[in-house]
């Protein structure tokens, strides 16, 4: 499918008239649209709820691959959380991404079952300096200070699991951890905040994305610059709270998506940011930063976390190999 | 699938149109009411030293190296007509003020120090002359005083009722404690935005179980609420000793709060923001029934938040009445419409339990909250303009 070919051996319309087609057909005529598929393994693949070894691989469970702790403001829907396996399909055309998930789920019936899924759009984060910065549903540029592919030493330090990081899980070297968090935004209430307040909550301007300490989008924020009442980038501004300077230098690769799942029962948008981040070690990266955010971040007034999951993403595969080969071998 | 969505959108249109009526008409007399201001470390340059009266827009750009502020001051160079703060280097912010004919002083304050760099600014008479009222300052003083009194009085009652409540609770008089619980909470909810402003006390007094962080001990109202309205299974009631602990803790925190509240003073924008904030509390917690998940006394809190918002607004009403009469009228109508829905849920001893509301009733309440909260979000800008 990543090459734009049908999901099965026969094709969406080529097979026998008395058999269901082995490709579901909604991608006929569409290109591969940059489709990529990422797989991850959840903690429950290694051990069940009672800690029992499920498939004889418990001794290879990565140290940091545990169910994420409960964070303040988490109101998790178990039907949108956790999972044994994760399949992420990304494409320039959502129809192609859905096509991939639909056909993989179909092929998997009997072996695996879908626990939950989330459709996102408009990637909220740039991951390369060649991309312009998109906006999230709060209307702010998102991804300005993200780890970029061009920052090779930061990518090595913060994103990929290195050889020797985890003696029990040598198979994960060259892979990464994927954190998924479904942030429901309180859209209607956010929209009633003044422009100045919205900018204070984020710590950047809405127009250009420049830090409130001045400059243009990519100017480094100056957290010590005084403002009329405390620093000009307020103490609870999101970018200050999560910035590496206040988090032991920790960074992560954010790669979230906007989502709108229709409306809620009271007519508000059921929408927000499906936060996805890749990192070398959630114990030292995501968990402390998320905890700090939940405690002091001004944005927390306007969000609620309704889904949560952690997966270990094995390294990419070469010709003739299968996903996670080093784990199962 | 598409049809119902379309219907919803069509319904929404007239409502939205009504909300935006208050927005000042776009400047049709050219750009003479828009003034560009360039603030540098040692200069403050205005594109014009005068403008016709009406709604003026100052586009302030900081070309200096320090954070700057821009002020439009009265003729005396003291009275602040409008201000915009925290403009970082190379950033721009807009100040929109309504200015009647007269002499003014414009000032940039690079580095936010001293009197700033000042220049005279003249507003000439025009057919868009805003109405002035000599009573302005008096109205402000009155609004501030009555709000201060209100908050202090609610805080006094909060202490008194909490004391009674924890006594009943520690003595095991559960029926009486359950009856008093929502009544005591009302005084908290009426001043919730003030009470919540103390970041150390709020998590100890008003945290819901879902808000806790790992390792945080759950104390306060909702801890006791759960003990008085325990879940049917899997709950261990608190012992007498534990009850005494949570009771003392709550009362102690409420007394500390009261000590602080009695010393507070307010500004008009704080009152306006408080009023808006209370409606947000309704929209995010009470209308969804998430505030009182064990007692289901959410409608008491709902009413109390609305009470607080209305009192805040009513103090400011004379100011709004003369600056933006249409907004005043919209707010009045929508407060009344929301109150009518709440009145329909009143019972002899308070309110219908939240879990007895039909979905349609919750929906109606939510719509009325949105209808009020949207224009209310303009209140602060109007009273400070
Ligand atoms: C609804 C949820 C969130 C929203 C709307 C949001 C929005 C933003 C925005 C607008 C920026 C500034 C632009 C940029 O540098 O990308 C930003 C930066 C950032 N966010 Fe978030 N974010 C959310 C959740 C999170 C979470 C859960 C984390 C991690 C625990 C996080 C970590 C970061 C980091 C590390 C930065 C870069 C800070 C810097 O280095 O300046 N964000 N976010």
């Amino acid at each position: 499918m990543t090459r734009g070919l049908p999901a099965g051996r026969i094709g969406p319309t080529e097979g026998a008239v008395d058999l269901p087609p082995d490709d579901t057909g909604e991608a006929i005529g569409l290109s591969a649209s940059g489709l990529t598929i990422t797989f991850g393994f959840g903690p429950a693949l290694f051990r069940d709820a009672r800690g029992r070894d499920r498939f004889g691989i418990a001794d290879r469970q990565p140290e940091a691959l545990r169910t994420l702790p409960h964070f303040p403001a988490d109101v998790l829907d178990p039907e949108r959380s956790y999972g044994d396996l994760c399949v992420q399909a990304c494409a320039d055309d959502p129809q192609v991404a859905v096509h991939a998930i639909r056909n993989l789920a179909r092929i998997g019936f009997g072996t695996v079952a879908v626990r939950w899924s989330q459709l996102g759009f408009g990637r909220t984060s740039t991951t390369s300096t060649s991309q312009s910065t998109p906006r999230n549903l709060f209307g702010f540029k998102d991804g300005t200070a993200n780890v970029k592919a061009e920052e090779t030493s930061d990518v090595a330090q913060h994103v990929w699991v290195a050889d020797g990081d985890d003696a029990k899980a040598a198979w994960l070297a060259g892979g990464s951890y994927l954190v998924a968090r479904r942030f429901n935004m309180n859209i209607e209430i956010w929209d009633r905040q003044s422009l100045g307040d919205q900018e204070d909550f984020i710590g950047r301007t809405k127009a250009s994305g420049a830090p409130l300490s001045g400059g243009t989008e990519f100017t480094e924020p100056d957290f010590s610059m005084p403002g009329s009442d405390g620093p000009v980038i307020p103490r609870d501004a999101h970018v200050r709270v999560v910035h590496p300077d206040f988090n032991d230098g920790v960074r992560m690769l954010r790669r979230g998506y906007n989502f709108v799942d229709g409306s809620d029962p009271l007519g508000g948008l059921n929408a927000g940011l499906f936060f996805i981040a890749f990192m070398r070690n959630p114990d030292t990266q995501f968990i402390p930063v998320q905890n700090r955010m939940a405690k002091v971040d001004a944005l927390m007034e306007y969000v609620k976390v309704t889904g949560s999951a952690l997966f270990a993403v094995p390294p990419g595969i070469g010709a003739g190999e299968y996903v996670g080969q080093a784990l199962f071998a | 699938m598409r049809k119902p969505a379309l219907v919803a959108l069509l319904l929404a249109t007239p409502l939205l149109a009504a909300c935006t009526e208050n927005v000042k008409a776009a400047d049709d007399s050219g750009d003479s009411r828009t003034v560009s201001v360039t603030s540098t470390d040692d200069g403050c340059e205005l594109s014009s030293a005068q403008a016709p009266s009406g709604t003026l827009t100052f586009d302030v750009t900081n070309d200096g190296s320090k954070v700057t502020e821009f002020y439009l001051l009265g003729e005396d160079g003291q009275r602040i007509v409008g201000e915009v703060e925290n403009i970082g280097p190379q950033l721009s912010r807009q100040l929109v003020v309504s200015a009647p004919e007269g002499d003014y002083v414009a000032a940039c304050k690079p580095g936010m120090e001293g009197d700033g760099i000042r220049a005279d600014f003249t507003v000439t008479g025009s057919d868009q002359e805003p109405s002035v009222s000599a009573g302005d300052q008096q109205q402000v003083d009155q609004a501030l005083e009555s709000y201060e009194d209100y908050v202090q009085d609610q805080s006094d009652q909060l202490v008194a009722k909490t004391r009674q409540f924890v006594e009943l609770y520690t003595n095991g008089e559960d029926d009486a404690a359950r009856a008093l619980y929502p009544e005591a909470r009302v005084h908290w909810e009426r001043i919730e935005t003030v009470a919540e402003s103390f970041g150390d006390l709020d998590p100890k007094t008003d945290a819901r179980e879902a808000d806790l962080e790992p390792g945080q001990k759950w104390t306060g109202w909702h801890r006791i609420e759960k003990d008085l309205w325990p879940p049917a299974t899997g709950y261990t009631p608190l012992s007498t000793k534990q009850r005494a602990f949570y009771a003392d803790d709550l009362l102690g925190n409420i007394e500390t709060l009261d000590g602080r509240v009695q010393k507070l003073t307010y500004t008009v924008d704080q009152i306006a923001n408080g009023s808006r904030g209370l409606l947000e509390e309704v929209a995010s917690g009470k209308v969804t029934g998430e505030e009182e998940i064990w007692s289901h006394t959410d409608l008491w809190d709902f009413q109390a938040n609305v009470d607080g918002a209305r009192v805040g607004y009513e103090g400011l009403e004379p100011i709004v009445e003369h600056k933006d009469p249409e907004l005043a009228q919209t707010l009045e109508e929508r407060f009344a419409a929301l109150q009518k829905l709440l009145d329909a849920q009143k019972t002899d001893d308070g309110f219908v339990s939240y879990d007895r509301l039909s979905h349609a009733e919750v929906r109606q309440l939510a719509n009325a909250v949105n209808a009020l909260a949207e224009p209310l979000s303009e209140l602060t800008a109007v009273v400070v303009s």
Side-chain angles (χ1 to χ4, degrees):
Chain A
M1 286 185 286
T2 55
R3 280 184 285 150
L5 300 176
R9 219 166 282 139
I10 302 169
T13 56
E14 286 76 3
V17 76
D18 54 353
L19 274 178
D22 67 356
D23 178 294
T24 52
E26 73 278 16
I28 297 174
L30 299 178
S31 72
S33 305
L35 176 68
T36 59
I37 301 178
T38 307
F39 295 89
F41 305 132
L45 185 72
F46 296 85
R47 287 188 173 86
D48 67 13
R50 294 210 216 132
R52 288 177 307 205
D53 191 349
R54 278 182 80 186
F55 299 108
I57 51 172
D59 58 335
R60 285 170 234 175
Q61 177 168 3
E63 186 65 36
L65 188 64
R66 283 173 268 109
T67 303
L68 288 172
H70 172 89
F71 299 99
D74 273 10
V75 271
L76 301 186
D77 177 354
E79 312 254 289
R80 293 186 189 280
S81 301
Y82 322 121
D84 301 349
L85 292 172
C86 131
V87 182
Q88 185 190 19
C90 303
D92 299 332
D93 182 341
Q95 180 127 342
V96 173
V98 170
H99 174 73
I101 294 298
R102 176 176 173 183
N103 283 278
L104 289 173
R106 188 176 175 213
I107 293 166
F109 285 130
T111 311
V112 287
V114 176
R115 181 184 170 93
W116 58 274
S117 64
Q118 180 69 55
L119 180 62
F121 63 92
R123 194 163 91 199
T124 63
S125 262
T126 34
T127 51
S128 162
T129 51
S130 66
Q131 299 158 340
S132 65
T133 318
R135 290 178 188 267
N136 59 38
L137 293 183
F138 281 155
F140 278 77
K141 285 192 180 175
D142 199 334
T144 303
N146 205 4
V147 180
K148 303 284 160 82
E150 290 77 5
E151 302 174 276
T152 42
S153 76
D154 274 66
V155 173
Q157 190 190 335
H158 299 288
V159 182
W160 303 122
V161 176
D163 278 325
D165 274 7
D166 186 338
K168 280 195 297 180
W171 60 271
L172 190 57
S176 191
Y177 286 90
L178 183 165
V179 171
R181 305 266 294 163
R182 185 176 187 271
F183 279 85
N184 260 92
M185 290 174 169
N186 212 329
I187 301 273
E188 291 73 22
I189 293 182
W190 174 267
D191 291 345
R192 291 175 195 135
Q193 308 306 310
S194 69
L195 176 62
D197 283 353
Q198 292 184 10
E199 293 182 334
D200 280 350
F201 299 153
I202 298 283
R204 291 180 176 274
T205 65
K206 202 167 184 177
S208 69
L212 295 183
S213 52
T216 53
E217 182 183 352
F218 295 102
T219 307
E220 280 297 314
D222 178 351
F223 293 111
S224 60
M225 185 178 280
S228 53
D229 182 18
V232 71
I233 300 179
R235 294 204 170 79
D236 59 356
H238 179 61
V239 295
R240 173 193 287 270
V241 172
V242 298
H243 192 274
D245 284 5
F246 302 94
N247 294 282
D248 295 328
V250 155
R251 301 183 74 192
M252 62 192 88
L253 179 80
R254 289 171 285 134
R255 206 170 183 285
Y257 290 81
N258 299 321
F259 71 86
V260 177
D261 291 347
S263 298
D264 65 28
L266 297 182
L269 276 186
N270 179 358
L273 179 81
F274 190 58
F275 176 91
I276 296 178
F278 293 91
M279 69 209 67
R280 185 169 170 183
N281 184 354
D283 283 345
T284 55
Q285 292 170 279
F286 180 75
I287 293 175
V289 178
Q290 171 72 93
N291 258 323
R292 187 172 138 79
M293 179 175 166
K295 260 185 243 170
V296 296
D297 202 302
L299 286 188
M300 295 312 293
E301 273 294 306
Y302 306 93
V303 296
K304 194 157 84 175
V305 182
T306 47
S308 181
L310 175 66
F311 302 99
V313 177
I317 51 172
E321 293 176 358
Y322 62 88
V323 174
Q325 187 158 340
L327 166 61
F328 300 108
Chain B
M1 282 302 280
R2 290 204 73 153
K3 232 178 177 176
L6 268 180
V7 171
L9 287 176
L10 287 174
L11 281 173
T13 317
L15 283 176
L16 290 176
C19 304
T20 48
E21 265 168 27
N22 303 310
V23 174
K24 304 283 180 306
D27 203 1
D28 45 10
S29 59
D31 267 332
S32 56
R33 288 195 177 82
T34 299
V35 180
S36 306
V37 181
T38 309
S39 170
T40 56
D41 287 347
D42 50 12
C44 184
E45 217 169 281
L46 275 66
S47 62
S48 167
Q50 61 171 56
S53 61
T55 303
L56 307 185
T57 300
F58 293 90
D59 274 323
V60 189
T61 301
N62 183 1
D63 274 354
S65 61
K66 300 174 200 155
V67 174
T68 194
E69 298 171 339
F70 175 76
Y71 292 86
L72 186 67
L73 304 167
E75 191 181 1
D76 60 358
Q78 305 269 336
R79 183 174 63 91
I80 298 173
V81 180
E83 61 180 313
V84 51
E85 297 177 321
N86 285 334
I87 314 168
Q90 294 170 63
L91 301 184
S92 308
R93 280 194 157 171
Q94 226 179 45
L95 169 66
V96 179
V97 282
S98 142
E101 178 178 2
D103 293 326
Y104 295 82
V105 175
C108 298
K109 232 192 243 189
M112 304 166 298
E113 280 164 353
D115 286 343
I117 304 160
R118 297 174 167 225
D120 289 338
F121 189 81
T122 310
V123 175
T124 55
S126 81
D127 56 357
Q128 290 180 30
E129 185 73 20
S131 61
V132 252
S133 135
D136 246 17
Q137 191 53 45
Q138 206 187 327
Q139 286 172 349
V140 168
D141 292 343
Q142 230 161 43
L144 299 183
E145 203 184 299
S146 63
Y147 193 70
E148 226 177 272
D149 288 349
Y150 178 73
V151 177
Q152 287 175 0
D153 176 50
Q154 291 304 317
S155 182
D156 285 340
Q157 295 192 55
L158 175 64
V159 173
K161 292 242 171 89
T162 307
R163 189 171 292 132
Q164 264 178 291
F165 168 71
V166 297
E167 207 175 288
L168 294 170
Y169 174 65
T170 27
N171 291 343
E173 297 175 54
D174 287 9
D175 281 337
R178 277 191 284 264
L180 196 57
Y181 174 82
E183 287 184 34
R185 295 263 307 150
V186 157
H187 302 292
W188 167 278
E189 297 288 345
R190 283 186 180 147
I191 56 171
E192 187 173 14
T193 44
V194 177
E196 272 186 357
S197 64
F198 301 105
D200 55 335
L201 292 176
D202 185 51
K204 293 184 199 159
T205 40
D206 202 29
R208 296 173 293 190
E209 200 168 7
D211 301 333
L212 300 178
E213 35 188 287
Q216 184 189 342
K217 190 174 166 67
W218 187 28
T219 58
W221 292 109
H222 298 296
R223 180 66 196 89
I224 298 177
E225 181 203 355
K226 188 174 183 178
D227 198 48
L228 285 170
W229 284 271
T233 54
Y235 178 78
T236 319
L238 295 181
S239 68
T240 313
K241 221 173 122 193
Q242 284 169 318
R243 281 192 169 206
F245 168 81
Y246 289 109
D248 285 351
D249 180 71
L250 175 62
L251 184 59
N253 286 323
I254 294 293
E255 283 170 346
T256 309
L257 173 75
D258 181 56
R260 295 189 200 168
V261 163
Q262 300 297 341
K263 288 188 219 122
L264 287 182
T265 57
Y266 308 90
T267 54
V268 280
D269 56 318
Q270 283 172 339
I271 299 176
N273 280 332
S275 192
R276 186 198 67 192
L278 285 169
L279 254 279
E280 280 166 19
E281 297 290 344
V282 175
S284 63
K286 280 75 180 193
V287 77
T288 55
E290 285 167 284
E291 181 72 18
E292 310 282 1
I293 55 165
W294 306 110
S295 66
H296 302 301
T297 53
D298 302 86
L299 285 187
W300 297 71
D301 301 355
F302 191 141
Q303 176 71 67
N305 279 164
V306 173
D307 289 344
R310 194 176 32 78
V311 167
Y313 168 65
E314 281 172 356
L316 302 172
E317 195 170 12
I319 305 173
V320 183
E321 195 70 66
H322 111 250
K323 288 189 171 167
D324 191 339
E326 267 176 78
L327 178 63
Q329 196 189 336
T330 307
L331 288 175
E332 199 169 307
E333 283 167 11
R334 294 190 181 176
F335 266 118
L338 178 57
Q339 190 55 52
K340 206 170 149 204
L341 292 178
L342 280 168
D343 287 346
Q345 302 304 339
K346 279 197 174 145
T347 60
D348 289 345
D349 47 4
F351 281 94
V352 165
S353 178
Y354 182 87
D355 56 347
R356 304 283 293 278
L357 294 176
S358 71
H359 179 63
E361 287 169 324
V362 174
R363 226 11 241 256
Q364 270 189 321
L365 285 165
N367 290 348
V369 167
N370 278 325
L372 172 59
E374 202 58 41
L376 201 57
S377 68
E378 292 172 24
L379 182 63
T380 310
V382 169
V383 294
V384 303
S385 71

